[in-house]
Amino acid sequence: MLPNILVINSGSSSIKYELLEMPEGRVLVKGLLERIGSGDARLKHWETNASNPTHEKISQVNAPDHQAAFDLVFKALASAIEFGAIAHRVVHGGSRFASATRVTDDVIKAIEELSAFAPLHNPINLNGIAICHRRFPGIPQVAVFDTAYHHTLPPRAYRYAIPELWYQTFGIRRYGFHGTSHHYVAQKAAAFLGKSLAETSVISLHLGNGASAAAIAKGQCVDTSMGFTPLEGLMMGARSGDIDPAIPTYLQTFHQMEASRIDWQLNHASGLTALTGTNDVRELIIRSQQGEASATLALDMYCYRIKKYIGAYWAVMGGIDALIFTGGVGENAAMVRSLVCDGLAHLGLIIDDAANKSQNADVCDIAQTGQKTRILVIRTHEELQIAQETWALLN
């Protein structure tokens, strides 16, 4: 097999791609085609070469649908080194898929069936698989599932207290998401701490527009905040996170709101967006510093919810080696990290302010010197994790 793996992350309005040389994991090419179907699509493409290792090209493109978008991606990749496999991020693998899986007709059928659990994601992921298969019929394709890393959850963590029929027949349970990110940063944390993953216990906070927490004990995930869908858990950019489950039925019964409208608003018009009109944490930090009450409240709520999950996971794990911040917000928002850890000195979580503001490496320790529990900021690299799992499967 050729050593290079093309990783595809196909979303509802974007395609993120990365070509990696394995087994070293060196990034050769990467890019992002966004705003598909908007009439204002944009392609950002980076290539690594000896003469210009950070060459970047940004183009306005015409991408009315995903087929057109993939055609543009393939054209951008035309000058790249050939690849031996294509790996796809697939959001929901249900109870069936616990690891990277070679794509076959049976696997495609199973992902289709699981689309009921992730109707906004799995069909788009499948579309990407189909387009790549038509373009490169002889190249093996692999599906890597967001839910796979959470298969180690014990029943006490993944079961809901609901009628047995709902669980046995309808498959309603906690599945968890962001698994590739949580897995990747847990490994990076173990290496940084000089321990094996099997000896390392961490709480991982993946904070982006979507956000989730994971309790990882001795290298295995034992609890996570997202549930049957990515809506449960932490407050997010546009998702509500945890709410009273009676709220949707109340809105249906007494205010005649349709289920589809409630679902859309909880997933796309809640969270930071509902409170402030934006999901951009950078903007909210500025607005809060300027004295805007709604921005200050939103950040306070956001960080308070995170802090509660840290306390809950700490209690069930009996202590950790490190608290990890990752994702776009976790990696870049020093103020959020500070607010989250404020008041957690009794758990040994004390931030060094200077380190928190100046971190610039792939793994940075921002805890005060002398503290037993470290606070790590780790740049996640989900594409590399997907490529590594694909490489291991095919070799």
Side-chain angles (χ1 to χ4, degrees), residues 123-184:
I124 296 293
N125 303 152
L126 278 172
N127 189 31
I129 290 171
I131 291 171
C132 289
H133 179 70
R134 289 194 296 269
R135 183 64 178 262
F136 305 103
I139 294 180
Q141 297 195 73
V142 171
V144 178
F145 299 88
D146 269 13
T147 50
Y149 183 58
H150 303 302
H151 269 250
T152 52
L153 265 62
R156 66 188 179 199
Y158 73 70
R159 287 291 299 270
Y160 292 119
I162 56 175
E164 189 72 8
L165 173 71
W166 294 10
Y167 169 63
Q168 294 288 355
T169 304
F170 304 149
I172 298 177
R173 50 157 285 181
R174 181 181 308 281
Y175 291 103
F177 301 89
H178 293 145
T180 52
S181 179
H182 289 302
H183 190 186
Y184 177 80

Side-chain angles (χ1 to χ4, degrees), residues 50-72:
S51 61
N52 190 355
T54 57
H55 177 66
E56 176 183 348
K57 182 179 180 181
I58 301 177
S59 308
Q60 297 300 124
V61 295
N62 180 28
D65 55 32
H66 278 72
Q67 180 63 66
F70 268 103
D71 288 341
L72 290 164

Side-chain angles (χ1 to χ4, degrees), residues 165-209:
L165 173 71
W166 294 10
Y167 169 63
Q168 294 288 355
T169 304
F170 304 149
I172 298 177
R173 50 157 285 181
R174 181 181 308 281
Y175 291 103
F177 301 89
H178 293 145
T180 52
S181 179
H182 289 302
H183 190 186
Y184 177 80
V185 298
Q187 293 174 100
K188 296 290 284 187
F192 182 84
L193 296 170
K195 306 174 75 171
S196 70
L197 183 59
E199 298 173 316
T200 305
S201 295
V202 300
I203 295 172
S204 171
L205 303 173
H206 179 102
L207 307 178
N209 188 44

Side-chain angles (χ1 to χ4, degrees), residues 291-314:
E292 184 180 313
S294 64
T296 300
L297 173 62
L299 289 171
D300 193 24
M301 290 173 62
Y302 183 83
C303 295
Y304 177 69
R305 300 281 189 92
I306 297 169
K307 191 176 300 188
K308 287 204 298 182
Y309 268 92
I310 293 171
Y313 289 166
W314 191 289

Side-chain angles (χ1 to χ4, degrees), residues 301-368:
M301 290 173 62
Y302 183 83
C303 295
Y304 177 69
R305 300 281 189 92
I306 297 169
K307 191 176 300 188
K308 287 204 298 182
Y309 268 92
I310 293 171
Y313 289 166
W314 191 289
V316 298
M317 295 172 72
I320 56 174
D321 298 303
L323 174 68
I324 301 171
F325 288 91
T326 193
V329 175
E331 295 167 28
N332 298 300
M335 181 178 175
V336 167
R337 296 192 295 265
S338 181
L339 288 171
V340 167
C341 292
D342 183 40
L344 296 181
H346 61 292
L347 297 181
L349 294 171
I350 306 175
I351 279 183
D352 181 300
D353 290 334
N356 186 36
K357 294 173 182 177
S358 64
Q359 55 84 27
N360 57 6
D362 287 346
V363 182
C364 295
D365 187 351
I366 62 171
Q368 282 189 1

